Amino acid sequence: MTQLRIGAGIAARIEETYEPNFNAAKFFPDWDPAVLQQHGGWLLPDHYDPASGRLKLSVHSWLLSVGGKRILIDACVGNHKPRAGRPMWDQLQTPWLERLAAAGARPEQVDMVMCTHLHVDHVGWNTRLENGRWVPTFPNARYVFSTQDYEHYLAIDRDAEKGPANMGSFRDSVLPVVEAGLAQMVSGAATLDEHLAVDPAPGHTPGTIAIKFESNGERALFCGDILHHALQVYHPQWNSFACAEAAEARNSRRKVLEHCAAGALLMPAHFGRPFACRIESKGGGFVPRFV
Ligand SMILES: [Zn+2]
């Protein structure tokens, strides 16, 4: 298990899946096969699968433990969820909860759940199936959602033509948390406690938030899908097919890279092994330094 110390905090990676999944050229409309020669030294085998032409994107959560509190950042796809629109995520059955327990957190011990945004692969474990109903997996947690994302997807979900939003995940993994009174909506820049703060970082979704952590002078930034793949450190203008607002997504990505180049550890939701990196400014651009 990947565990990183950040000041007095420990971030443990809780894996759901890690295998070649999205076709690179479809995932990145700006994909240029020349990157395979240019970056082959680190891309293979942990970040790209040459046999299939697919990116190797991890799907994981981070469990952040600090001062006796346990904070879960992003909630993957979840088990038993019907996702007919994306077969690789349909009716998953992974030992994610067991991995979370092995990292030191039973569901009732989680104090806070934070979703960087409300896409299907970031909200799944918010709920689990119990007697045929979706119930909050973490009964003692407050769940931090962005108001902008919530309102955006609520409107889509209620629209008879556009709904259900995000492959049904809004209904089975977000609404039950809100109905249980466990959601804390944040709007704009917000400080959550002595260690955690969020900044609006719109683009990938209208309400994406960057989650900033600080302890004993050390800093980290959990970026969700502001960056999906380490190649975007070299190519911050590359959006994924799933980015809603192109110009804003590029702007938010560049801001995150600048923030991390000034000293914060980048904690992505989907980068391949070793799953986190430092960012160095170089020649007007950025370079990942894997930790
Ligand atoms: Zn994602």
Side-chain angles (χ1 to χ4, degrees), residues 209-279:
I209 49 177
I211 298 172
K212 297 192 293 189
F213 175 77
E214 180 160 6
S215 168
N216 294 345
E218 289 187 41
R219 296 184 296 141
L221 185 148
F222 296 83
C223 69
D225 291 358
I226 301 167
L227 293 97
H228 277 92
H229 193 281
L231 277 170
Q232 288 171 293
V233 177
Y234 291 97
H235 297 283
Q237 76 280 16
W238 282 15
N239 284 334
S240 79
F241 76 96
C243 291
E245 292 285 339
E248 284 192 294
R250 292 185 180 111
N251 183 43
S252 292
R253 192 172 302 118
R254 189 162 279 282
K255 272 194 195 165
V256 160
L257 290 167
E258 283 166 1
H259 180 86
C260 290
L265 182 64
L266 181 65
M267 302 290 285
H270 297 303
F271 280 24
R273 192 171 285 115
F275 311 110
C277 64
R278 298 211 167 268
I279 300 296

Side-chain angles (χ1 to χ4, degrees), residues 41 48 61 69 103 105 108 110 138-139 160-161 184 193 197 223 232 234 237 248 260:
Y48 179 78
S61 305
K69 295 258 192 252
E108 61 274 17
V110 172
F138 309 102
E161 284 179 15
Q184 178 186 354
D193 63 24
C223 69
Q232 288 171 293
Y234 291 97
Q237 76 280 16
E248 284 192 294
C260 290

Side-chain angles (χ1 to χ4, degrees), residues 163-229:
N166 294 333
M167 301 183 184
S169 62
F170 190 80
R171 284 183 202 177
D172 62 38
S173 306
V174 177
L175 286 181
V177 171
V178 176
E179 282 157 10
L182 298 180
Q184 178 186 354
M185 301 290 173
V186 294
S187 188
T191 300
L192 296 170
D193 63 24
E194 57 178 320
H195 300 293
L196 285 161
V198 301
D199 270 347
H204 178 64
T205 65
T208 290
I209 49 177
I211 298 172
K212 297 192 293 189
F213 175 77
E214 180 160 6
S215 168
N216 294 345
E218 289 187 41
R219 296 184 296 141
L221 185 148
F222 296 83
C223 69
D225 291 358
I226 301 167
L227 293 97
H228 277 92
H229 193 281

